[in-house]
Amino acid sequence: MLSDVMEDYLKAIYRIQARSGPPVSTSAIADAIDKTPASVTSMLGTLEDRGVVVHQKYKGVELTTDGERVALEVVRHHRLLEAYLAEHLDYSWSEVHDEADALEHHISEEFERRVAAALDDPAVDPHGDPIPSADLAPLDGDDTTPLSACEVDDRVLVTRVNDRDREDLEYLEAAGVTPGTALKIVGVAPFGMVTVRVDGDTEQSLPESVAESIRVCDAVDAAVADERGEVTDA
Amino acid sequence: MLSDVMEDYLKAIYRIQARSGPPVSTSAIADAIDKTPASVTSMLGTLEDRGVVVHQKYKGVELTTDGERVALEVVRHHRLLEAYLAEHLDYSWSEVHDEADALEHHISEEFERRVAAALDDPAVDPHGDPIPSADLAPLDGDDTTPLSACEVDDRVLVTRVNDRDREDLEYLEAAGVTPGTALKIVGVAPFGMVTVRVDGDTEQSLPESVAESIRVCDAVDAAVADERGEVTDA
DNA sequence: CTATTAGTTTAGACTGTTCTAAATCGGGGT
DNA sequence: ACCCCGATTTAGAACAGTCTAAACTAATAG
Ligand SMILES: [Mn+2]
Ligand SMILES: [Mn+2]
Ligand SMILES: [Mn+2]
Ligand SMILES: [Mn+2]
């Protein structure tokens, strides 16, 4: 088996690879998990020996199929835990991430099954991020755009929010902006401040950092998908 | 902070100390956590540096007040988790121990609080073992006796069962013998086989190993305590 | 009072993970 | 084509935790 440290490396590589595609650089991993590049190089060697990554010296690293499955397993644990903590233990949006990070490597497959059953096999976590299925099939690509890239008069649905910044999450919770919320962009100020109308109701001005942590999909496209009977997250 | 390995040493020392009193021998610890005596000696040194045990060379080891608090904290986590898994995630009696062992070092104080609240601050775990209070006050002494030490015609209440042997637990579950069950001892055969009447109902013959893992208190004493308004576990 | 020996500690080695400091690589600008 | 500089790897050390083998201690049997 792999240690929890190794699982954290694979999770980090997976996340970076999902955003910017392979190959993933040593320094990107080092930044993500707060270690030195030298430590990362060393660990990439042992991960390659275990067959979960392939590493080309000076070029970067890529997950193997096995490595991706391990990463998906950890991500599934993480997001199921987040959903469970929010749903059944009354955790708030902004608290679940750290607790899930601590537990994700230590739950059994039995625990995973029972939590999934208690939640009725949820498709997304509290931040709107998709939960890998039990068979660990690869997640499909992200077709969302950052709110900070939207233009005035766009109508969008909030799909997911970055779960890593607690302050931003608390801000958004207070503003009533959660996955599934409909937004109309009212204004875009210099330095990235975005003003939106929330659910056709109140108006909110979101600082750039907050706007960057929100990912949205086009409200019209989503409605079309809806008519085809597909599921958008609730 | 202490590592989870250190927490496991302290938990083991606590358990042995609770049963046979200090000082606790190196080999007793080694047996309990399945390591070599040499490894234990080495770790006792570092635990002494951290101020959680005092160790007299060749004599044995004892928890300090700090060390006992750490052990109680881990035990509280363990038993709360067992209770939660049984109550809210439909785990059986015999499955909870291993899962709790894996999680006990990794939950936050916040998680502990929420689990305790969800269970309404339980006093005992599913095996009848007392759960240390949130302020980590020392548990009071064990006034139970093993079922294997009972005599014919004794009437007793099952107080707790050893949570370490999964087979015995499955046996007892099938036999309907759980904490709170009233037993009348019908017969004691050679080699320790004990025959009991369960709740004035069915009769069961329990092999020696099973009888040894059951601890009981006198049914009459318990009734007296009950009349004083004290709580016996349900 | 000495010899035996079970239990304990020490010595030394090994694995896993991380770090700092130094050497090396390679792509972009001249 | 060559140089440079930032990114990367290597070298070497450190720490935690564990092991085996060897030395030691203390309690007991004779
Ligand atoms: Mn993690
Ligand atoms: Mn999340
Ligand atoms: Mn443990
Ligand atoms: Mn228990």
Side-chain angles (χ1 to χ4, degrees), chain B residues 4-5 7-9 11 74 78 98 100-106:
Chain B
D4 50 350
V5 171
E7 288 183 352
D8 276 339
Y9 274 91
K11 188 172 67 152
V74 178
H78 183 98
D98 291 347
D101 243 15
L103 295 176
E104 65 192 3
H105 313 289
H106 304 287

Side-chain angles (χ1 to χ4, degrees), chain B residues 179-208:
Chain B
T181 305
L183 299 179
K184 182 186 173 197
I185 285 78
V186 173
V188 180
F191 295 104
M193 164 88 74
V194 178
T195 303
V196 296
R197 183 177 301 279
V198 179
D199 271 331
D201 202 45
T202 61
E203 241 175 60
Q204 295 278 347
S205 285
L206 307 171
E208 180 173 34

Side-chain angles (χ1 to χ4, degrees), chain A residues 78-79 82 96-97 125-127 129 163:
Chain A
H78 182 98
R79 294 183 181 166
E82 284 191 344
V96 293
H97 181 80
D125 82 3
H127 312 98
D129 293 317
D163 64 358

Side-chain angles (χ1 to χ4, degrees), chain B residues 42-183:
Chain B
S42 161
M43 180 55 81
L44 292 182
T46 73
L47 290 173
E48 183 148 40
D49 292 346
R50 302 299 208 88
V52 287
V53 305
V54 295
H55 182 209
Q56 311 242 110
K57 281 206 199 320
Y58 295 102
K59 300 296 283 267
V61 74
E62 185 173 358
L63 294 176
T64 63
T65 309
D66 278 4
E68 187 182 11
R69 282 181 65 86
V70 173
L72 284 165
E73 173 82 36
V74 178
V75 169
R76 175 169 165 84
H77 286 183
H78 183 98
R79 294 182 180 165
L80 278 175
L81 282 162
E82 283 191 345
Y84 188 87
L85 294 171
E87 176 81 16
H88 288 283
L89 285 171
D90 203 33
Y91 270 76
S92 81
W93 222 24
S94 51
E95 296 171 312
V96 294
H97 181 80
D98 291 347
E99 193 81 49
D101 243 15
L103 295 176
E104 65 192 3
H105 313 289
H106 304 287
I107 66 173
S108 68
E109 290 305 285
E110 185 61 31
F111 188 93
E112 178 197 313
R113 271 191 291 278
R114 291 184 191 254
V115 164
L119 293 164
D120 215 359
D121 267 309
V124 296
D125 81 2
H127 312 99
D129 293 315
I131 299 176
S133 60
D135 62 9
L136 304 179
L139 295 174
D140 33 55
D142 182 2
D143 58 351
T144 63
T145 54
L147 179 63
S148 51
C150 292
E151 285 164 26
V152 174
D153 285 337
D154 284 357
R155 290 161 185 283
V156 298
L157 284 178
V158 176
T159 304
R160 45 211 285 196
V161 299
N162 184 338
D163 64 358
R164 282 201 162 52
D165 187 325
R166 214 174 323 197
E167 292 209 357
D168 288 355
L169 287 177
E170 280 161 12
Y171 191 103
L172 287 173
E173 189 159 42
V177 177
T178 61
T181 305
L183 299 179

Side-chain angles (χ1 to χ4, degrees), chain A residues 123 225-226 229-234:
Chain A
D226 226 18
E230 291 168 27
V231 185
T232 55
D233 57 282

